[in-house]
Amino acid sequence: MAVAAAAPTARLSRQTWQFTQDVRIHGSAVVVGPKEGEGPLGSLFDKVYGDMYAGQKTWEEAERAMLEEAISLAISKAKLTSQEVDLILAGDLLNQNITATFSAQTMGVPLMGMYGACSTSMLTLANAAAMVNGGYANYAIAACSSHNATAERQFRYPTEYGGQKPPTAQWTVTGAGAGLVGLGGTGPRVTHATVGKVIDMGVHDPQDMGTAMAPAAVSTLITHFHDTDRQPKDYDLIVTGDLASVGYAIAKNLLEQEGYQLGNVYNDCGLMIFSSDQDVFAGGSGCACSAAVTYSYILDQLQKGFLKRVLVCATGALLSPISTLQGNAIPCIAHAVALEGGGA
Amino acid sequence: MAVAAAAPTARLSRQTWQFTQDVRIHGSAVVVGPKEGEGPLGSLFDKVYGDMYAGQKTWEEAERAMLEEAISLAISKAKLTSQEVDLILAGDLLNQNITATFSAQTMGVPLMGMYGACSTSMLTLANAAAMVNGGYANYAIAACSSHNATAERQFRYPTEYGGQKPPTAQWTVTGAGAGLVGLGGTGPRVTHATVGKVIDMGVHDPQDMGTAMAPAAVSTLITHFHDTDRQPKDYDLIVTGDLASVGYAIAKNLLEQEGYQLGNVYNDCGLMIFSSDQDVFAGGSGCACSAAVTYSYILDQLQKGFLKRVLVCATGALLSPISTLQGNAIPCIAHAVALEGGGA
């Protein structure tokens, strides 16, 4: 049987999609914990909790409450109800993606669970845009969360143990971010997405995620520039997700070796969300790091016209505690989404 | 800005997609452990290992080897190379989706990590079909795995502990399945997918997943029948993923209460993969349960014309050990994919 005439394709290359419809973010929200609220972007967040429990009995419930609030706020800011949302694409760092699961249950919206560690922010946004662009959903939510205390006890040691950390370690952001994607409107546009490959450069130290993740970010960024025929100067801002100070310097250096001078255009969400005096080692990390920066500051700047075009390259360290104990290096991935200023 | 003319939409309703292109499975493969090889479908699997280590040093490495082999075999049976595959959509039961991650790294194919517990088989197949139908990928792999010993030690007790199990417990299938999705050709067609909602009926017993998951399967099946304007009799075979004997009876009863008589058309992959004398409690479970049955027996029967139209409704219990310990019930989900016989 002959293949039917193809729909307007969004595929630019193996890894990069260009969305052919007018895909936009209709509403977004960020809910965070106290330390994030004290950071330089604190005033831009929709809600800041004064403690890590967010009125709940456990840290896991607190993370869930934050994700549910971010999703609800994004929906209401888009002047929609949860019944009008077709799909939630969500993930988090906790085992079995439990925060995303319970949040989708509370909202009563069909769920496609995704996992990309801290790259989940852009993995879900890329897919939400693909689902809307392809006509699979009228409105789709991309969302993710992390919580410093839930992540510490799952990936490292019980926090009560008080283990010391090296300066290469990062501080997992407590919070959640959500974006509601649909066609038309006047919000910031989602124009391209570049899906990453798993890159493992042999780094084994789970207290140095920035070094492990930098090559994955560089791989996805160079692929994006190549596939879109764009240069770094075509963006007003290029951010990586959570390389923090160690990984940021490595990524910048690797990009220069490949002929890409990012200069002042390049920043990292792990450096933007906390100030240097906040005692966060090399900087922020976690799904909520890039989600909080993107769904507050970056969308705000795009909407106000201070930024015209931004590339968010979220980075994820896909390790598990058991794979590390069994001697495996830390496999990493990065997914990038290109955003443009809104307006009619 | 006006919304551009929509592409041929695949959206039938909030939860159900009808693929508008000629989306087909170009190759599929199943690799399993010894117990699965001794079951009634044993002769249909591409490779059966004689022990649970599959030539590796750890069970986790064995699971990884099986997933990598299933993916490689599916690609080679489609007469393609991994370089021609645009995307792997994969997940597994291990923390941080580590089997899928390492397999995608070995293959060098971009990865979208997904998590739906045992529903991951159809979550990934539905999305691979959506990606191909929407023009995002020329060829996409859907794949998942599970391993009895890795799942036991992660979700329950170390196997050396020798804990007793009640008859409602299930036996996690050791194996992996993969399907390569593309346009055209002569393989079985992927025609519809129904994305599930998270359903939690208050079941707390992780040794009785069938009871927990049955309402999620019923919700997705009824939604599918409604959205497609189809009845159970429009299918030659309807299978749930891994409800096994306990959940199968509950699902059948719930469907009858809602006016759907499935009769002999209805079966469950957890009952099909093992025979009743194989000492598997209520039956099989795990991502690989529905994947192994779908990517071997069901596709084989469709290709030979013995079955014309099949609905696979994969079921997943999205619990985490910590959510259970914190007193939460087991949230469940089911995703369904409709398949039709191949031919030119």
Side-chain angles (χ1 to χ4, degrees), chain A residues 9 11 14 17 60 82 85-86 95-96 98 105 111-113 115 127 130 133 135-136 196 200 318-319 326, chain B residues 9 11 14 17 60 82 85-86 95-96 98 105 111-113 115 127 130 133 135-136 196 200 318-319 326:
Chain A
T9 180
R11 183 180 185 275
R14 190 188 195 199
W17 308 327
E60 286 74 15
S82 61
V85 178
D86 295 319
N95 286 340
Q96 285 67 56
I98 200 74
Q105 182 188 342
L111 170 69
M112 295 195 341
Y115 185 74
N127 274 276
N133 183 73
Y136 299 102
D200 171 353
L318 304 165
L319 83 167
Q326 289 183 344
Chain B
T9 179
R11 184 180 184 274
R14 191 187 195 199
W17 308 327
E60 286 74 14
S82 61
V85 178
D86 294 318
N95 286 340
Q96 285 69 55
I98 200 76
Q105 182 188 344
L111 170 69
M112 293 194 344
Y115 184 75
N127 275 277
N133 183 73
Y136 300 101
D200 171 354
L318 303 166
L319 83 167
Q326 289 184 344

Side-chain angles (χ1 to χ4, degrees), chain A residues 114-136:
Chain A
M114 309 204 81
Y115 185 74
C118 308
S119 74
T120 304
S121 61
M122 293 302 115
L123 175 64
T124 52
L125 183 57
N127 274 276
M131 288 288 135
V132 167
N133 183 73
Y136 299 102

Side-chain angles (χ1 to χ4, degrees), chain A residues 155-156 168-170 203-209 319 324 330:
Chain A
F155 286 99
R156 297 179 186 95
T168 55
Q170 294 176 227
V203 176
H204 283 73
D205 181 2
Q207 300 278 22
D208 184 7
M209 298 292 192
L319 83 167
T324 304
I330 300 172

Side-chain angles (χ1 to χ4, degrees), chain A residues 120-314:
Chain A
T120 304
S121 61
M122 293 302 115
L123 175 64
T124 52
L125 183 57
N127 274 276
M131 288 288 135
V132 167
N133 183 73
Y136 299 102
N138 290 338
Y139 295 105
I141 284 272
C144 62
S145 65
S146 55
H147 188 294
N148 187 278
T150 66
E152 283 300 310
R153 93 161 139 204
Q154 177 180 287
F155 286 99
R156 297 179 186 95
Y157 298 101
T159 45
E160 294 84 350
Y161 176 69
Q164 297 291 303
K165 294 194 175 207
T168 55
Q170 294 176 227
W171 187 272
T172 304
V173 167
T174 299
L180 193 150
V181 181
L183 291 185
T186 58
R189 291 185 174 87
V190 186
T191 63
H192 299 75
T194 299
V195 179
K197 286 185 186 181
V198 179
I199 308 278
D200 171 353
M201 298 300 282
V203 176
H204 283 73
D205 181 2
Q207 300 278 22
D208 184 7
M209 298 292 192
T211 299
M213 294 190 292
V218 170
S219 166
T220 296
L221 286 171
I222 290 178
T223 299
H224 179 84
F225 297 141
H226 175 268
D227 292 352
T228 56
D229 204 17
R230 288 182 175 178
Q231 291 293 318
K233 67 176 168 48
D234 293 321
Y235 289 97
D236 302 319
L237 175 66
I238 296 170
V239 293
T240 41
D242 56 351
L243 298 184
S245 61
V246 176
Y248 174 81
I250 294 171
K252 199 162 186 176
N253 190 24
L254 288 172
L255 284 161
E256 282 172 9
Q257 286 176 30
E258 298 292 330
Y260 292 94
Q261 306 287 337
L262 270 63
N264 291 334
V265 165
Y266 177 40
N267 209 335
D268 180 80
C269 300
L271 298 172
M272 296 163 78
I273 195 163
F274 296 121
S275 57
S276 55
D277 61 359
Q278 279 191 290
D279 213 5
V280 292
F281 310 100
S285 66
C287 297
C289 182
S290 51
V293 174
T294 302
Y295 291 128
S296 65
Y297 171 75
I298 289 174
L299 292 186
D300 191 56
Q301 293 282 300
L302 284 167
Q303 196 61 23
K304 289 175 175 160
F306 298 142
L307 294 172
K308 300 287 187 195
R309 195 187 270 174
V310 177
L311 183 62
V312 182
C313 181

